[in-house]
Amino acid sequence: MLTTLLWDVDGTLAETERDGHRLAFNQAFADACLPWRWDVAHYGTLLSTTGGRERLLRDMATRADAPPSLPEREQLANELHRRKNQAYAQIVAQQCVTLRPGVPELIEEAQASGLRQAIVTTTSRINVEALLRQQLGAGWKRRFAACICGEDVKLKKPAPDAYRYVLALLGLAPRQALALEDAPAGVAAAQGAGIPVVVTRSAYFADDPVDAALAVGPGLHDRQGWRPALDVHAGRVTLDDLTLWHSRAQSSTTLH
Ligand code: XBP
């Protein structure tokens, strides 16, 4: 039986990457007087590395003008990541990044029906807090039974650590939960912990294979375009839809 919804953040709760984190990284480069800029396409390739600091190190490894030694690069990555997170908080405060349509409604519906909800991301806590305080108000934490972030785990997604941690923390069996994700790394992380997953496609992962998911669709705001198809073609995806998909997980049915 479904008792708990587990929300990924970047790409799932909100489209944070292209016009949030990416712009914030570019702001950090500019503030540090570095000529580096990440365009939309290049950032898309870097997104296969989870973790902003890890992403910086990956990019530096390909740049002739990056510091030559690993300790120097790590120091620079730490500094740029700190600046990036400050810039991200400013972008979020200006309401340039908002919850995806259908997300606030499902959070409300789940809360009203007594379902538990938790955040499971490997993004830095400071970024999650900035976004959710802005979008859900000062009392946002009360809506979630747990908020697992990058600092809580040794290995970021696609490792299952964040999902295993939330299961242990909330005393949940994997099949009591349902993860909402947008990216292959997140799907792999949830699956690695034995948790069924529903995928809402995001801008950067619009076509990536996510065959292990229970259902895949364009977003919670729209009942059209889902695999498996939803019966009524008007309105948003509801808790009843998620519950139905989740019940199929008991028999291990996926999109295959
Ligand atoms: C999202 C990420 C993060 C964000 C940037 O992962 O990979 O790195 O892009 O946030 P998840 P940080 O799917 O776990 O939400 O700079 O704080 O890492």
Side-chain angles (χ1 to χ4, degrees), residues 8-12 16-17 21 25 43 47 49-55 81 84-85 120-128 151 156-157 181-183 185-186:
D8 168 53
V9 175
D10 298 285
T12 302
T16 57
E17 296 292 5
H21 290 294
F25 278 113
Y43 191 65
L47 275 179
T49 299
T50 50
R53 194 179 154 279
E54 291 83 349
R55 208 166 287 147
H81 194 236
K84 186 279 285 183
N85 289 346
V120 185
T121 176
T122 44
T123 297
S124 312
R125 186 171 300 280
I126 194 172
N127 296 328
V128 177
E151 292 88 342
K156 296 185 173 172
K157 297 174 186 176
E181 280 283 355
D182 71 302

Side-chain angles (χ1 to χ4, degrees), residues 17-255:
E17 296 292 5
R18 193 190 68 179
D19 300 328
H21 290 294
R22 183 184 69 87
L23 296 183
F25 278 113
N26 286 338
Q27 184 65 53
F29 298 146
D31 291 348
C33 299
L34 285 166
W36 309 340
R37 298 293 180 271
W38 288 347
D39 65 23
V40 171
H42 182 57
Y43 191 65
T45 64
L46 293 176
L47 275 179
S48 59
T49 299
T50 50
R53 194 179 154 279
E54 291 83 349
R55 208 166 287 147
L56 284 161
L57 286 169
R58 170 179 162 186
D59 194 56
M60 275 190 234
T62 68
R63 287 187 183 273
D65 58 346
S69 75
L70 187 57
E72 283 174 298
R73 277 189 225 153
E74 284 182 335
Q75 195 183 353
L76 181 56
N78 289 345
E79 175 59 17
L80 289 171
H81 194 236
R82 188 185 62 75
R83 287 178 189 258
K84 186 279 285 183
N85 289 346
Q86 284 177 349
Y88 180 76
Q90 283 171 9
I91 290 170
V92 162
Q94 289 156 11
Q95 302 229 43
C96 298
V97 178
T98 57
L99 296 183
R100 290 181 63 180
V103 166
E105 293 87 343
L106 188 62
I107 290 176
E108 289 291 340
E109 188 187 2
Q111 194 175 348
S113 74
L115 210 68
R116 269 198 308 190
Q117 302 181 77
I119 301 292
V120 185
T121 176
T122 44
T123 297
S124 312
R125 186 171 300 280
I126 194 172
N127 296 328
V128 177
E129 292 188 346
L131 177 70
L132 295 187
R133 195 180 311 113
Q134 171 59 237
Q135 291 296 303
L136 294 173
W140 71 270
K141 282 183 186 161
R142 285 196 295 274
R143 295 172 182 260
F144 300 99
C147 179
I148 311 302
C149 298
E151 292 88 342
D152 297 320
V153 289
K154 197 163 167 213
L155 295 175
K156 296 185 173 172
K157 297 174 186 176
D161 299 31
Y163 280 106
R164 286 191 180 143
Y165 186 35
V166 80
L167 293 177
L169 197 68
L170 299 183
L172 280 175
R175 292 292 171 104
Q176 291 177 293
L178 180 65
L180 289 151
E181 280 283 355
D182 71 302
V187 174
Q191 289 265 314
I195 299 170
V197 195
V198 166
V199 172
T200 53
R201 292 290 196 182
S202 62
Y204 269 120
F205 299 100
D207 303 311
D208 293 63
V210 285
D211 289 343
L214 281 178
V216 180
L220 295 169
H221 63 295
D222 195 349
R223 296 180 67 77
Q224 298 195 48
W226 282 84
R227 235 175 2 125
L230 287 167
D231 48 0
V232 183
H233 291 280
R236 67 176 177 88
V237 176
T238 66
L239 197 51
D240 281 349
D241 299 317
L242 297 187
T243 306
L244 180 65
W245 284 328
H246 184 264
S247 68
R248 294 178 183 157
Q250 308 307 324
S251 53
S252 293
T253 309
T254 67
L255 286 174

